[in-house]
Structures are given as C-alpha cells and as structure tokens.
Amino acid sequence: MKKIILLSFVNLLFSNQFNFNLEKSYITYTGMHPFHTWDGTSKDFTVDIKNHNNQLIIFVSVQLNSFDSKNENRDSNMLFYTESLKYPYVTFISDTIKYTELSVIKSIEGNLNFHGMEKRVNIDIQMIENDLNLSGQCKFKIDLNEFNIELPKLLMLPINNIIDINSKIVIDK
C-alpha cells in the first residue's frame, strides 16, 4: 500500500495538470448468475496520469466498498468474498504508453492488483477528444478464479467466474 501512495504522489509531482471529472467518470462491474445479471458502479476513485514527451502512464485506484449495485445484501456479499477488509483496493498501473495522438491509442497493457494478487491485463480503450474534454472508455474481463476468489452461490449455483469491467474516465480541458 505504501508503494501505491508513493507512486501516486510521484505521479502528481511530475504530471501535466489534468482536471479529472468525477461526475462524468465511472467504473462498473457486471456479474452474472444463471438467474440474473447485475451491475455495481463506483464514481469514487482516483486517477493519476503522468504525461511527458508523448508518453503516458495511467494509475487508477478504487475502493471495493465504493461499488453500489443497488442491492445492499449483494454488495455486502461482494465485500465478503473479495475480502475487502484485507484487500480494500483494486489498482491498475499501465505500462508506458507512447503515442503521437491520443486518439490513436487503442489498447493499454499494465498490472491489475486485486485480492492481493497482481496480473497482467490488456485493455481495449477508445479515446475521444473534443473542445471540452478528453475521455477514455475501456472494457475488459477478469476471471475471479485467477485472483483466488471463492464464487458466491445463489440457490446452490455459483455466479459466473468472469466479471465484465466497463470504465469511463473524463478529463476536462
């Protein structure tokens, strides 16, 4: 955790100034069970971007307890099975992204830290720039089995081990 805080501070010191728009940004996970599908969304997360000489490094951190699926019991179960008291944050730090124009960035690779484990991920991203802001929207999947998370059950059937992640980060100019 100390490394995450130190990295965030260093990123802030050396980054170009960005105005992260939390109102328009979100991270959503979609879970599936044979009987239903649900979404949990967080609009309370941290984004740090280091931008120097057409190279970006992106750091994102979200607390598990900030996700809301509109069902308190389901949210409580998610926190229990992800052991959120022991592993409260999910973080992502990208590799260095070299670019000529931001709009040509189509994927980002980096490390996802979840449930105390770090995994390499490749994330498809769509960058959109207009006069008011720059936004990046991405989608990817995580396998709960790869992060050693026990699958909750409903009516003796486990949820799907694949969770869809959809995120939008908006930076005002």
Side-chain angles (χ1 to χ4, degrees), residues 75-134:
D75 293 339
S76 177
N77 282 337
M78 181 271 291
L79 295 174
F80 174 78
Y81 283 96
T82 59
E83 299 181 275
S84 67
L85 292 177
K86 189 174 181 180
Y87 310 108
Y89 293 92
V90 177
T91 60
F92 171 78
I93 185 162
S94 73
D95 296 343
T96 300
I97 305 160
K98 297 176 183 176
Y99 66 94
T100 52
E101 294 179 31
L102 291 171
S103 62
V104 300
I105 299 172
K106 300 297 180 203
S107 70
I108 297 173
E109 291 187 35
N111 293 318
L112 179 68
N113 190 304
F114 178 37
H115 197 243
M117 300 181 72
E118 189 170 275
K119 299 286 181 185
R120 296 286 299 160
V121 293
N122 187 340
I123 299 172
D124 293 333
I125 188 165
Q126 179 182 13
M127 303 290 284
I128 300 169
E129 187 171 12
N130 60 39
D131 292 339
L132 301 176
N133 56 46
L134 169 69

Side-chain angles (χ1 to χ4, degrees), residues 29-32 140-142 144 159-165:
Y29 76 88
T30 301
M32 292 151 275
F140 64 102
K141 297 176 184 299
I142 61 171
L144 295 177
I159 68 167
N160 190 327
N161 61 306
I162 302 298
I163 300 293
D164 293 329
I165 307 296

Side-chain angles (χ1 to χ4, degrees), residues 13-171:
L13 285 177
F14 295 104
S15 296
N16 290 348
Q17 184 63 36
F18 289 102
N19 296 314
F20 173 53
N21 187 324
L22 198 53
E23 294 285 319
K24 295 179 182 176
S25 301
Y26 60 84
I27 299 174
T28 298
Y29 76 88
T30 301
M32 292 151 275
H33 184 270
F35 297 124
H36 70 288
T37 300
W38 69 95
D39 295 323
T41 299
S42 176
K43 293 181 76 51
D44 184 16
F45 55 97
T46 302
V47 175
D48 290 328
I49 300 173
K50 180 180 176 183
N51 184 16
H52 183 69
N53 291 336
N54 287 14
Q55 296 185 72
L56 290 175
I57 297 177
I58 301 170
F59 172 79
V60 179
S61 178
V62 61
Q63 272 193 294
L64 286 168
N65 67 5
S66 70
F67 284 95
D68 183 8
S69 71
K70 308 296 186 219
N71 181 312
E72 192 173 312
N73 187 46
R74 181 172 41 231
D75 293 339
S76 177
N77 282 337
M78 181 271 291
L79 295 174
F80 174 78
Y81 283 96
T82 59
E83 299 181 275
S84 67
L85 292 177
K86 189 174 181 180
Y87 310 108
Y89 293 92
V90 177
T91 60
F92 171 78
I93 185 162
S94 73
D95 296 343
T96 300
I97 305 160
K98 297 176 183 176
Y99 66 94
T100 52
E101 294 179 31
L102 291 171
S103 62
V104 300
I105 299 172
K106 300 297 180 203
S107 70
I108 297 173
E109 291 187 35
N111 293 318
L112 179 68
N113 190 304
F114 178 37
H115 197 243
M117 300 181 72
E118 189 170 275
K119 299 286 181 185
R120 296 286 299 160
V121 293
N122 187 340
I123 299 172
D124 293 333
I125 188 165
Q126 179 182 13
M127 303 290 284
I128 300 169
E129 187 171 12
N130 60 39
D131 292 339
L132 301 176
N133 56 46
L134 169 69
S135 67
Q137 188 157 357
C138 67
K139 294 180 182 183
F140 64 102
K141 297 176 184 299
I142 61 171
D143 184 339
L144 295 177
N145 293 331
E146 289 182 358
F147 291 95
N148 293 332
I149 295 175
E150 181 183 346
L151 300 178
K153 294 179 181 175
L154 176 64
L155 300 174
M156 300 188 348
L157 296 172
I159 68 167
N160 190 327
N161 61 306
I162 302 298
I163 300 293
D164 293 329
I165 307 296
N166 183 7
S167 178
K168 183 175 184 179
I169 296 173
V170 178
I171 299 168

